[in-house]
Amino acid sequence: MHKFLSRALIPLLGAGLLSGAAVADEPEVYGWVEKTLIDPGWGVEVKAKLDSGALTSSMQAEHIEEFKRDGEDWVRFDVELEDEASGEVVSREFERPIFRRLILSGAGGEDRRPAVLMTICIGDTRYQEQFSLRDRDDMLYPVLLGRRTIQSLGLLDVTETFRHEPRCDDDSPLKTHDDKEYDDDIGA
């Protein structure tokens, strides 16, 4: 009986231990809409749509004004939106160096937008990401997260929403834009 139990239990225990290790290595899963914090120090919570059809993320911005600072191209813009946590409409002016310029072509023609690096919080991690600036007042979601950002997060489950509550502080891990490596097949 002892040999039978040894032969039966040891493989089962090994399988259980291995499956536990595999679970730890699985990527996080995110819903198609998640709550995020824009510029976590500001602490404004917004709904973000995770959009696998978009390559670059986009953020609500108004009064977009480009200018020069120390010979570099910068942009000043206002972010006005409803804080999901409080229900209050809040506004803040940002100034950022222009990271790159996007030229978007679609059915409505060509659109040119500046893109900047902004930090957002999803779950307990801060992410420095590229965001094109656009007046999204007529959109349901003030923040759209594209494939470049989704790739940094993990997997997208289009049947789920709000799987992660934003809970970042100054000590939360930060994944910077410079540390990212994009898959070759993410798109251009």
Side-chain angles (χ1 to χ4, degrees):
M1 178 75 166
H2 181 331
K3 281 187 175 182
F4 170 76
L5 285 175
S6 294
R7 280 194 225 143
L9 289 177
I10 289 176
L12 288 174
L13 286 172
L17 292 174
L18 289 176
S19 67
V23 170
D25 293 333
E26 288 188 26
E28 289 280 339
V29 177
Y30 293 81
W32 69 275
V33 178
E34 291 288 349
K35 290 182 182 175
T36 66
L37 298 176
I38 295 176
D39 189 32
W42 185 25
V44 175
E45 184 177 289
V46 298
K47 291 179 187 173
K49 177 182 177 184
L50 282 71
D51 185 353
S52 65
L55 179 61
T56 303
S57 298
S58 180
M59 177 178 293
Q60 165 63 17
E62 298 175 16
H63 309 118
I64 300 167
E65 176 189 348
E66 295 186 22
F67 65 98
K68 293 275 189 190
R69 178 176 286 163
D70 298 326
E72 301 290 323
D73 293 331
W74 280 62
V75 65
R76 178 180 302 115
F77 56 98
D78 294 331
V79 175
E80 180 180 280
L81 38 77
E82 182 178 334
D83 182 357
E84 289 293 322
S86 69
E88 293 180 39
V89 174
V90 296
S91 179
R92 181 173 170 193
E93 182 181 86
F94 289 91
E95 291 183 354
R96 295 285 191 274
I98 295 176
F99 182 74
R100 68 186 184 109
R101 297 179 189 281
L102 284 98
I103 301 174
L104 305 164
S105 298
E110 198 171 85
D111 187 17
R112 296 174 184 271
R113 298 183 205 160
V116 298
L117 294 180
M118 295 286 291
T119 301
I120 60 168
C121 166
I122 301 177
D124 62 358
T125 305
R126 298 174 298 152
Y127 298 88
Q128 182 188 50
E129 297 292 332
Q130 289 182 52
F131 285 91
S132 70
L133 302 176
R134 177 173 186 236
D135 186 343
R136 298 181 57 84
D137 271 344
D138 58 341
M139 308 285 186
L140 288 175
Y141 304 100
V143 174
L144 180 140
L145 301 178
R147 291 190 305 274
R148 286 189 174 113
T149 303
I150 295 169
Q151 179 183 337
S152 297
L153 298 175
L155 299 177
L156 172 59
D157 183 342
V158 298
T159 66
E160 296 278 340
T161 57
F162 308 118
R163 292 180 53 100
H164 300 269
E165 286 291 323
R167 54 188 183 284
C168 296
D169 59 27
D170 291 339
D171 296 325
S172 297
L174 172 64
K175 295 190 177 184
T176 66
H177 182 269
D178 292 339
D179 294 337
K180 293 178 74 162
E181 292 183 29
Y182 295 112
D183 287 341
D184 291 335
D185 59 355
I186 195 168

